[in-house]
C-alpha cells in the first residue's frame, strides 16, 4: 500500500512526533507532504528514510496550494491519503478528491471543547471542518473523548475510528546518571525539589498557573520545556514574584527520537527524557487536552503527575495510573498539592500499566487496520489522463475557488500546537 501523509507543519510538536513514530512502524510505503514549516521533525523523518516534500503554502489564502497538492497526489499514484492537523485536513481532503483518490483518512489530534489546535471553534471553523470531513473516508480520533466531540459535531459514527496515541516507553525510563548530570549542567542543587512541565507556551496550556504556583514555594525549582508566544510573559511573571532564578524556561526540546543520549542532553540542553529524569513531579495544567502524551511520557519515567486534563488516563480505571492525579485549575490547589508531595518526598514509582497500554506499535497496527478498511471501501481510483497537466497560475486559483466551501481565511492561522 502506498500512502501519502499530509500535515500542516513539521516543527517540534505532539502530532508531528506521533507521525514520525508511526512512519517507523507502518507496514506501508509512506511519503510525507508538509504544507508549511519543514522543521526539526521533517529532518528526522528524512533521516529515517521517508521522503518529505515542502509544499510552500504561504497561508490560509494560498488557494493555489490546492492544485499543487492535487498534482503531487495524482503523480504519486497513492492508494490512500492520510491528513494530520486542521489546515492539512481541510486542504488535503479536497486535493485528494481533485486527484481522484477516494481513500482518505484524517487523524484528529487536538480537538477540544472550545478550540482546535489553538484556534477558536467559531462557526466558520466548524462549518469548514464538517464540509471537508464528508470528502474523506474515515476520521481517526486519538481518544474516546475526541470521538464523542466528533459525534456531537455530526460526524457519522461509522466514520469514526479511535486509535490512541502511543509512546516508546523505553525512551523515558528513569536514568539516575542523567538526573545528576542535567541538574549539574543547569546549576540545580542535587537535593532540590524540582517540578517539570512541557508543551507549547500558549494561553490554553495555562502554564501561568504552574509558574505562579511554584513562585509560592520557596526553594522549589521549575523546568519548563517549550516555545511559544507566552514565554516572555512567563519570564516577566517569574521576575515579578522574585523567582526568576528558580523558574527555568528551557525553550523547545525534543523527545530524543534519534536514540537516547547517555547524558540526557540534546544539542543545546536537556532533551525530554533527560528533563523527566531530572525532576521530581510533572505538572500538565492544560484543562482541555485531546489525549495527553506528555503525561504518559512522565508516567513512563516513574513520576508523580498532576494534570488538568488527560483523556489517556481519565478514560481508564484509576489503578492503571496510580501516580497520576487530576486537579482543578487553581494556583492555590496546585501549590498545596506540590507542597504535600515535597513534604512526603515523592520518589520514583513503578511504571504503571497505562504506559504499556499506549505502546506506539499497537497504535500503528490499529491504524493499518483503518487503512485497509478505507481502501477496501473506496471506489477505484479515478486517474486523470497523464497528458493533461494540473492547472497553474490564474487557472489554478479559479480551480480552487470552484470548490464550494467556506473561506478558511476567516479563521486565524492554525499554527499547530503540540498535543503533548
Amino acid at each position: 500500500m502506498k500512502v501519502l501523509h499530509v500535515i500542516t507543519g513539521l516543527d517540534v510538536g505532539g502530532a508531528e512526533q506521533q507521525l514520525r513514530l508511526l512512519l517507523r512502524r507502518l507496514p506501508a510505503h509512506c511519503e510525507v507532504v508538509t504544507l508549511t514549516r519543514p522543521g526539526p521533525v521533517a529532518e528526522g523523518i528524512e533521516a529515517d528514510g521517508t521522503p518529505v516534500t515542502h509544499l510552500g503554502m504561504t497561508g490560509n489564502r494560498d488557494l493555489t496550494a490546492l492544485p499543487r497538492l492535487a498534482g503531487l497526489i495524482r503523480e504519486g499514484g497513492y492508494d490512500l491519503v492520510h491528513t494530520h492537523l486542521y489546515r492539512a485536513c481541510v486542504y488535503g481532503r479536497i486535493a485528494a478528491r481533485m486527484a481522484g483518490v477516494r481513500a482518505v483518512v484524517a487523524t484528529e489530534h487536538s480537538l477540544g471543547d472550545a478550540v482546535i489546535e489553538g484556534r477558536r471553534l467559531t462557526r466558520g471553523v466548524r462549518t469548514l471542518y464538517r464540509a471537508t470531513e464528508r470528502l474523506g473516508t474515515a476520521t481517526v480520533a486519538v481518544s474516546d473523548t475526541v470521538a464523542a466531540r466528533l459525534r456531537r459535531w455530526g460526524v457519522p459514527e461509522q466514520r469514526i475510528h479511535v486509535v490512541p496515541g502511543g509512546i516508546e516507553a523505553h525512551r523515558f525510563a528513569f536514568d539516575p546518571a542523567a538526573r545528576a548530570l542535567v541538574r549539574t549542567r543547569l546549576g540545580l542543587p542535587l537535593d532540590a525539589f524540582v517540578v517539570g512541565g512541557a508543551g507549547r507556551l500558549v494561553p490554553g496550556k495555562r502554564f501561568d498557573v504552574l509558574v505562579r504556583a511554584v513562585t509560592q514555594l520557596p526553594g522549589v525549582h521549575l523546568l519548563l520545556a517549550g516555545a511559544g508566544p507566552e514565554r516572555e510573559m512567563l519570564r516577566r511573571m517569574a521576575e515579578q514574584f522574585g523567582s526568576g532564578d528558580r523558574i527555568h524556561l528551557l525553550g523547545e526540546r525534543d523527545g530524543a527520537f534519534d536514540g537516547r543520549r547517555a547524558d540526557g542532553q540534546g544539542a543545546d540542553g536537556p532533551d525530554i527524557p533527560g528533563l523527566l529524569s531530572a525532576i521530581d513531579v510533572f505538572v500538565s495544567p492544560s484543562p482541555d487536552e485531546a489525549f495527553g502524551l506528555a503525561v504518559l511520557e512522565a508516567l513512563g519515567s516513574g513520576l508523580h503527575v498532576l494534570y488538568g486534563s488527560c483523556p489517556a488516563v481519565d478514560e481508564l480505571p484509576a489503578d492503571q495510573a496510580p501516580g497520576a492525579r487530576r486537579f482543578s485549575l487553581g494556583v492555590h490547589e496546585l501549590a498545596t498539592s506540590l507542597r504535600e508531595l515535597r513534604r512526603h518526598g515523592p520518589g520514583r514509582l513503578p511504571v504503571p500499566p497505562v504506559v504499556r497500554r499506549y505502546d506506539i506499535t499497537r497504535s500503528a497496527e490499529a491504524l493499518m487496520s483503518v487503512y485497509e478498511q478505507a481502501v477496501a471501501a473506496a471506489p477505484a481510483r479515478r486517474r486523470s489522463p497523464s497528458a493533461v497537466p494540473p492547472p497553474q497560475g490564474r487557472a489554478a486559483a479559479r480551480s480552487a475557488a470552484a470548490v464550494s466551501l467556506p473561506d478558511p481565511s476567516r479563521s486565524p492561522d492554525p499554527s499547530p500546537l503540540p498535543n503533548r
Side-chain angles (χ1 to χ4, degrees), residues 17-231:
Q17 292 167 342
Q18 278 291 286
L19 174 57
R20 185 178 177 191
L21 284 175
L22 287 167
L23 288 170
R24 289 178 162 186
R25 288 162 178 79
L26 285 170
H29 174 79
C30 295
E31 298 177 5
V32 177
V33 167
T34 179
L35 303 185
T36 62
R37 297 186 304 280
V41 180
E43 297 172 5
I45 290 173
E46 290 187 314
D48 292 342
T50 299
V52 177
T53 300
H54 179 208
L55 195 66
M57 189 175 184
T58 58
N60 279 335
R61 295 178 183 273
D62 185 10
L63 295 180
T64 60
L66 273 173
R68 294 203 306 274
L69 181 56
L72 285 171
I73 297 171
R74 186 181 299 112
E75 293 167 10
Y78 301 99
D79 300 299
L80 181 141
V81 173
H82 186 169
T83 63
H84 308 259
L85 300 174
Y86 181 85
R87 195 193 303 186
C89 285
V90 169
Y91 283 87
R93 287 164 172 150
I94 300 171
R97 178 62 65 94
M98 291 170 66
V101 177
R102 297 302 179 95
V104 183
V105 173
T107 292
E108 186 41 65
H109 294 271
S110 303
L111 175 61
D113 282 327
V115 297
I116 181 169
E117 299 159 33
R119 65 162 74 228
R120 285 191 309 109
L121 284 176
T122 62
R123 179 179 297 180
V125 169
R126 287 177 186 263
T127 301
L128 184 54
Y129 184 95
R130 291 181 60 189
T132 58
E133 197 280 334
R134 297 187 184 102
L135 300 178
T137 311
T139 296
V140 171
V142 297
S143 65
D144 290 334
T145 299
V146 171
R149 289 167 180 162
L150 289 170
R151 285 192 290 270
R152 289 198 297 271
W153 278 30
V155 178
E157 177 74 35
Q158 66 271 20
R159 295 168 63 86
I160 301 173
H161 302 261
V162 178
V163 178
I167 67 171
E168 291 181 318
H170 69 275
R171 295 186 181 277
F172 305 99
F174 174 61
D175 183 344
R179 175 185 178 88
L181 191 55
V182 169
R183 286 188 171 219
T184 298
R185 291 190 173 180
L186 292 177
L188 304 177
L190 296 181
D191 61 348
F193 185 77
V194 182
V195 179
R200 179 98 169 135
L201 305 185
V202 294
K205 296 294 184 180
R206 296 312 309 268
F207 285 119
D208 58 310
V209 173
L210 175 55
V211 169
R212 289 176 60 195
V214 172
T215 64
Q216 297 183 11
L217 305 173
V220 174
H221 288 257
L222 170 63
L223 302 184
L224 182 55
E230 287 216 319
R231 176 170 181 164

